[in-house]
C-alpha cells in the first residue's frame, strides 16, 4: 500500500516557516519521500502499518494549514501518469524500484 500526504501550510511568519519545515522533516524521517513540493509518499506493507503511520502523522500535525492523507494500493499508484514536463531520472528510477517491490 502507499500513503500519499498532501499539505498546504502557512509560511508568512518565521514561526510558521519553522513549523512547516519541521513537518517536512518529520515526513522525511518517517520514511516518506517527496513526489512534489507539498506531496509526499510512503510505502507500507499492509493496513496495520498504514494505521500505525496514520497515528504518527496525526501526532505530528501542525496547528495551522491543510493536510490530506490518501491511501492507495501499489497497483493504483503504479497507474499514475506524469502529464507535464520531462520525466526526471529519479522518477524513472523510482518507477523501476516500484516494480521490484
Amino acid at each position: 500500500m502507499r500513503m500519499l500526504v498532501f499539505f498546504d501550510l502557512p509560511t508568512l511568519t518565521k514561526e510558521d516557516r519553522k513549523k512547516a519545515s519541521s513537518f517536512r522533516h518529520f515526513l522525511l524521517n518517517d520514511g516518506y519521500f517527496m513526489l512534489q513540493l507539498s506531496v509526499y509518499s510512503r510505502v507500507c506493507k499492509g493496513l496495520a502499518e498504514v494505521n500505525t503511520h496514520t497515528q504518527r502523522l496525526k501526532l505530528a500535525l501542525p496547528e495551522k494549514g491543510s493536510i490530506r492523507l490518501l491511501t492507495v494500493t501499489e497497483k493504483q499508484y503504479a497507474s499514475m501518469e506524469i502529464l507535464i514536463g520531462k520525466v526526471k531520472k529519479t522518477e524513472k528510477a523510482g518507477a523501476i524500484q516500484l516494480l521490484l517491490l
Side-chain angles (χ1 to χ4, degrees):
M1 299 194 81
R2 183 78 61 149
M3 295 174 69
L4 298 168
V5 176
F6 309 86
F7 61 91
D8 186 16
L9 300 175
T11 56
L12 296 176
T13 67
K14 186 175 183 177
E15 183 180 342
D16 286 343
R17 285 190 296 276
K18 184 176 180 180
K19 288 181 180 182
S21 179
S22 292
F23 183 68
R24 284 189 290 275
H25 281 94
F26 161 78
L27 292 173
L28 292 171
N29 291 334
D30 200 41
Y32 293 82
F33 65 93
M34 187 171 69
L35 287 176
Q36 287 184 265
L37 189 58
S38 294
V39 181
Y40 285 70
S41 174
R42 183 184 204 299
V43 175
C44 292
K45 294 178 184 174
L47 197 52
E49 193 171 330
V50 167
N51 292 335
T52 298
H53 285 284
T54 299
Q55 292 305 313
R56 290 175 54 88
L57 187 62
K58 287 179 180 179
L59 292 173
L61 293 177
E63 300 146 5
K64 300 177 186 175
S66 174
I67 293 134
R68 289 176 172 51
L69 170 64
L70 175 66
T71 304
V72 297
T73 64
E74 283 300 312
K75 185 174 181 179
Q76 291 168 326
Y77 185 81
S79 70
M80 182 185 336
E81 294 183 46
I82 300 171
L83 300 175
I84 299 175
K86 187 176 179 180
V87 178
K88 297 177 184 176
K89 290 181 182 180
T90 57
E91 290 171 340
K92 287 181 183 177
I96 292 168
Q97 182 180 8
L98 291 176
L99 295 174
L100 297 175
L101 292 175

